[in-house]
Amino acid sequence: MERTIERNIIDAVKNLYDSDIDVADIQIQATRREFEGDITVVVFPLLKHSRKSPEQTAEDIGNYIVEVNPGVRFFNVVKGFLNIEISNSAWLDVFLKLRSAAPAHSFSEKGKGQTTLIEYSSPNTNKPLHLGHIRNNLLGYSLFKILTACGHRVYKTNIVNDRGIHICKSMLAWKLFAQGETPSDSGIKGDHFVGKYYIEFENAYKNEIRELTSKGMTEEEAAERSKLMAGSRELLRKWEAGDKETLDLWKRMNSWVYEGFNKTYEMLGVDFDKIYYESNTYKLGRNIVIEGLEKGIFYRKDDGSVWVNLSSDKLDEKLLLRADGTAVYMTQDLGTAVERYNDYKFDRHYYVVGNEQNYHFQVLKLILKKLGYEWANGIHHFSYGMVNLPEGKMKSREGKVVDADDLIDTMLVTAREMSEELGKLDEYSAGEKENIYYKIALGALKYFILKVDPRKNMLFNPRESIDFNGNTGPFIQYTYARIRSVLRKAETYDYSGDIKSGDIELNDKESDLIKLLRRFEGVVVEAAETLNPSLIANYTYNLAKEFNQFYHDYSILGEKETAVRTFRIALSEYTGQIIQESMGLLGIDMPERM
RNA sequence: GGUUCCGUAGUUCAAUUGGAUAGAAUGACAGAUUCCGGUUCUGUUGGUUGGGGGUUCGAGUCCCCCCGGAAUCACCA
């Protein structure tokens, strides 16, 4: 449609003004609702060719197009905007073309041949996942879906911070207090089980400090004298030295954590192609640092610690290895990056990590470049904002975190309550019902988080998210379920037959819906280019709302005219397909009924 | 203080990436509906896009200067 108009404009300018124009000067867009018409041409860029007023130019070109293009019914001019009304039969053609292209949907060729890595999730093995991780996981997974849809070859990776003093703390607490208890003994999910001992350590440590300070020590002295802290350091030392007993316990406790994480990941519907462990990559990182030191890119201070000076890039000095030779966060990330490049030879590598680490990733990329790795240019920190709650900020130190599993559970409970109240599922088995509740609960959670621009800090309100009305996941799911219901009923009606162009006259709601449907592809491409799933979310909401308006105003199954009924059912079916596909890019499942 | 990001209806978010009169949802208000209320439906209200300059046919969007908020600037991860 746009193509032919574009062609018309080039011809018009050629014939009317005897001038050749650049295709880039042609701006065609969908007409806004408030105005009459379907397609709008912005004529301002054409003025240099016409040398006339915007109104006159639009008038000239409009007349020309109406004359040569039979698909165009009429036009109107508002200021410098030429609004073109497409004939209804042309809209029907657009729909038929869209629909026939649907099964083999490919959105864009731009990603073709691109190998793209996405790192997301990145948990620590000393505590369960929380609300912040949920945003991370959902964004990472959705980016994977969107980029894949645009032709990228995408690999999902995860880096597990399974090493360090924090792990040793839970290990020590377990040795001291657990008396051999395991997750299966206690009936606690593995990651929560280990998290429990981490908290026990913190509490015991606090008590110890309080006792010591009450004897007249300062905080610093107390921290140095602390037996618990000394015990953790001792464990870390043993771990690094490869002490068998320590390593065995470490492996055992980590396996409990992973078992727990896997359940949470499964609930969220996310997965990974390859998981990296910091305990493996930190050694490679250390070698890289030492290599850089030999090349003179880094330098050693008197105490033996290794640094890089980035002050010429406004980034100050950064520590790479401690005085005792042990690795820091940056060390292992350098190792992980190099290992990943060796594994995948990626073109792009997205790190889905919260915006509190912007500085870290700036430094990481710069260091890799200084080391001479060309591929560092493909590294990109996908930085997202924090999730706040109505009660205020989340602070893990004060224990004010929303646990991921708890949150999912409350969402499930709420979904069940609300569905039971509506009572539309009474005839289904318990298993089928549970499956639907699950889809609603997760759909509500995912949609609420993904509809927000990732960069922005956001406010998560659990009650609002699961509303069946408004801009929510359940509302879109409800629209989809409604469409499916119509289609099930339609099978018992006589609506077979092809739709041919020219068969029927479309009404406004129908052509509005088609207009929106044809934008889908563009939205997906844009979401991939700007790495922004929220575009897809908000688009889908508009589509669902548009369908409901159409559904509200016109009869589908009760329609007498066979051709019209056939068309409307086909339109509903296609809308359902797009909604499902669109929400699928957000990792949200659509229930067949709800 | 340096760096990065964010400021849009009372609130939570949009705005086809530089297009027309900045839109939804929710809240509030009015009316309808009925088992009081919630629910549901209809309508109304709600904005100097933090402020000020600039760029151009045209700015919420791009540039500069202020104001406000967040993150970060560790031998934590």
Side-chain angles (χ1 to χ4, degrees):
Chain A
M1 183 81 64
E2 274 87 356
R3 278 293 144 64
T4 61
I5 301 274
E6 202 174 280
R7 193 67 245 164
N8 293 155
I9 292 170
I10 293 170
D11 292 348
V13 171
K14 181 92 185 150
N15 289 332
L16 297 170
Y17 310 126
D18 193 28
S19 181
D20 291 311
I21 58 172
D22 190 348
V23 188
D25 277 345
I26 303 178
Q27 283 186 49
I28 296 177
Q29 53 198 247
T31 303
R32 295 188 83 100
R33 291 194 158 280
E34 315 87 80
F35 300 93
E36 202 178 357
D38 299 311
I39 290 179
T40 294
V41 180
V42 184
V43 298
F44 291 111
L46 307 177
L47 299 183
K48 58 189 170 202
H49 300 283
S50 72
R51 301 185 174 281
K52 289 180 181 174
S53 73
E55 289 81 1
Q56 191 55 52
T57 309
E59 197 76 27
D60 291 350
I61 294 173
N63 278 320
Y64 182 90
I65 291 175
V66 165
E67 205 166 304
V68 300
N69 193 332
V72 173
R73 259 165 69 193
F74 56 82
F75 71 95
N76 68 78
V77 177
V78 181
K79 294 184 185 174
F81 298 89
L82 170 62
N83 299 322
I84 295 167
E85 173 96 4
I86 304 300
S87 70
N88 280 333
S89 59
W91 277 122
L92 185 58
D93 288 343
V94 168
F95 172 69
L96 294 173
K97 210 171 286 174
L98 272 178
R99 198 173 60 133
S100 65
H105 232 304
S106 65
F107 294 93
S108 167
E109 296 299 304
K110 283 187 184 160
K112 212 158 190 196
Q114 291 274 309
T115 299
T116 303
L117 241 62
I118 296 179
E119 175 196 291
Y120 71 109
S121 205
S122 321
N124 290 343
T125 52
N126 64 331
K127 47 189 163 202
L129 305 177
H130 57 71
L131 182 50
H133 287 114
I134 291 185
R135 191 177 196 188
N136 182 307
N137 283 301
L138 299 183
L139 283 169
Y141 190 74
S142 180
L143 285 182
F144 153 71
K145 290 290 234 182
I146 293 167
L147 290 172
T148 302
C150 289
H152 293 250
R153 181 70 188 90
V154 186
Y155 298 94
K156 293 160 284 175
T157 77
N158 189 355
I159 177 82
V160 180
N161 295 314
D162 60 345
R163 176 198 87 88
I165 192 82
H166 54 291
I167 314 299
C168 295
K169 287 177 183 174
S170 4
M171 280 162 64
L172 182 64
W174 186 83
K175 283 174 84 162
L176 293 175
F177 312 126
Q179 296 171 320
E181 191 191 32
T182 66
S184 48
D185 296 343
S186 61
I188 303 175
K189 193 163 164 280
D191 48 341
H192 291 256
F193 181 83
V194 172
K196 191 180 89 173
Y197 284 99
Y198 183 75
I199 291 167
E200 279 196 27
F201 174 91
E202 290 292 337
N203 290 339
Y205 177 64
K206 249 185 254 164
N207 288 337
E208 193 186 15
I209 294 291
R210 201 177 304 132
E211 240 171 71
L212 291 173
T213 50
S214 71
K215 286 180 188 160
M217 287 189 199
T218 64
E219 294 270 340
E220 288 81 38
E221 283 168 345
E224 258 172 52
R225 286 289 195 83
S226 159
K227 281 181 188 159
L228 284 168
M229 196 51 92
S232 322
R233 283 205 209 94
E234 174 65 10
L235 271 181
L236 183 61
R237 200 193 56 73
K238 277 183 173 173
W239 184 89
E240 296 217 353
D243 175 60
K244 188 173 180 312
E245 193 197 325
T246 308
L247 281 178
D248 283 347
L249 177 60
W250 173 74
K251 279 181 195 158
R252 195 166 171 221
M253 288 184 76
N254 274 347
S255 72
W256 294 338
V257 172
Y258 298 146
E259 211 182 302
F261 282 172
N262 285 340
K263 278 182 195 154
T264 310
Y265 287 144
E266 202 189 323
M267 282 305 272
L268 287 172
V270 303
D271 55 19
F272 307 94
D273 295 304
K274 179 157 184 176
I275 297 177
Y276 290 83
Y277 297 92
E278 187 189 325
S279 55
N280 291 331
T281 59
Y282 83 106
K283 284 180 188 159
L284 174 58
R286 196 156 56 192
N287 293 340
I288 291 165
V289 172
I290 288 164
E291 216 180 291
L293 190 64
E294 283 161 4
K295 285 188 194 158
I297 302 164
F298 310 138
Y299 61 94
R300 200 185 278 279
K301 284 192 178 175
D302 291 341
D303 64 2
S305 55
V306 179
W307 297 73
V308 61
N309 189 348
L310 302 172
S311 51
S312 58
D313 299 278
K314 295 184 186 174
L315 289 172
D316 214 342
E317 293 180 316
K318 190 81 191 169
L319 176 84
L320 298 175
L321 278 181
R322 292 194 187 99
D324 63 6
T326 55
V328 291
Y329 183 39
M330 184 59 73
T331 322
Q332 69 83 14
D333 245 1
L334 287 168
T336 311
V338 171
E339 190 168 323
R340 283 199 182 127
Y341 185 73
N342 292 338
D343 286 350
Y344 290 103
K345 303 280 181 288
F346 56 77
D347 299 293
R348 298 286 273 168
H349 185 344
Y350 297 110
Y351 286 84
V352 181
V353 181
N355 62 12
E356 72 266 16
Q357 293 191 31
N358 287 351
Y359 178 72
H360 172 79
F361 283 98
Q362 244 178 307
V363 173
L364 175 66
K365 187 167 176 173
L366 200 57
I367 291 177
L368 286 169
K369 277 199 207 168
K370 276 190 189 293
L371 286 166
Y373 295 116
E374 274 298 313
W375 48 262
N377 287 313
I379 281 184
H380 181 257
H381 176 204
F382 179 86
S383 163
Y384 61 89
M386 308 185 66
V387 186
N388 297 318
L389 295 167
E391 303 88 75
K393 254 202 246 171
M394 272 211 319
K395 281 272 178 240
S396 55
R397 253 181 260 127
E398 297 160 27
K400 259 178 74 179
V401 289
V402 174
D403 179 78
D405 295 318
D406 290 351
L407 179 64
I408 292 171
D409 282 345
T410 29
M411 297 297 284
L412 281 168
V413 169
T414 315
R416 183 177 300 122
E417 281 170 8
M418 293 185 75
S419 298
E420 276 170 0
E421 212 166 297
L422 289 173
K424 296 200 174 166
L425 299 173
D426 295 343
E427 54 187 288
Y428 299 107
S429 74
E432 284 170 322
K433 280 191 206 167
E434 285 306 314
N435 186 267
I436 294 170
Y437 302 150
Y438 168 76
K439 283 181 179 170
I440 294 171
L442 269 291
L445 176 61
K446 290 179 181 183
Y447 186 86
F448 197 89
I449 283 173
L450 290 174
K451 77 171 176 180
V452 181
D453 187 327
R455 282 168 307 178
K456 293 184 179 175
N457 291 350
M458 66 169 291
L459 198 99
F460 179 72
N461 187 338
R463 273 212 354 254
E464 218 173 277
S465 73
I466 206 159
D467 202 328
F468 279 49
N469 288 308
N471 190 359
T472 63
F475 170 74
I476 295 170
Q477 289 174 320
Y478 164 74
T479 305
Y480 178 78
R482 189 183 215 179
I483 290 171
R484 301 305 295 174
S485 166
V486 167
L487 294 175
R488 279 193 298 275
K489 290 218 172 66
E491 279 177 19
T492 62
Y493 282 70
D494 167 31
Y495 80 104
S496 59
D498 295 334
I499 317 159
K500 288 194 253 354
S501 39
D503 269 4
I504 48 169
E505 279 292 303
L506 271 59
N507 60 51
D508 286 350
K509 288 285 190 286
E510 286 162 347
S511 59
D512 280 354
L513 194 49
I514 293 170
K515 271 184 241 175
L516 210 47
L517 286 167
R518 66 203 282 275
R519 268 197 58 205
F520 178 54
E521 195 168 319
V523 171
V524 176
V525 171
E526 202 179 313
E529 278 170 7
T530 58
L531 301 173
N532 189 353
S534 77
L535 297 179
I536 292 178
N538 286 296
Y539 165 80
T540 318
Y541 171 62
N542 285 328
L543 184 60
K545 214 168 54 166
E546 191 69 51
F547 177 82
N548 278 307
Q549 283 179 17
F550 156 68
Y551 186 86
H552 183 263
D553 288 0
Y554 296 98
S555 160
I556 295 180
L557 295 171
E559 170 63 35
K560 296 268 183 339
E561 177 68 41
T562 315
V564 173
R565 188 166 65 217
T566 305
F567 164 69
R568 286 184 186 165
I569 289 168
L571 184 60
S572 304
E573 186 180 30
Y574 184 71
T575 305
Q577 262 178 43
I578 296 297
I579 288 177
Q580 187 179 36
E581 206 171 326
S582 188
M583 294 287 270
L585 295 174
L586 304 179
I588 298 175
D589 286 336
M590 293 289 110
E592 289 293 306
R593 44 194 116 217
M594 67 184 270

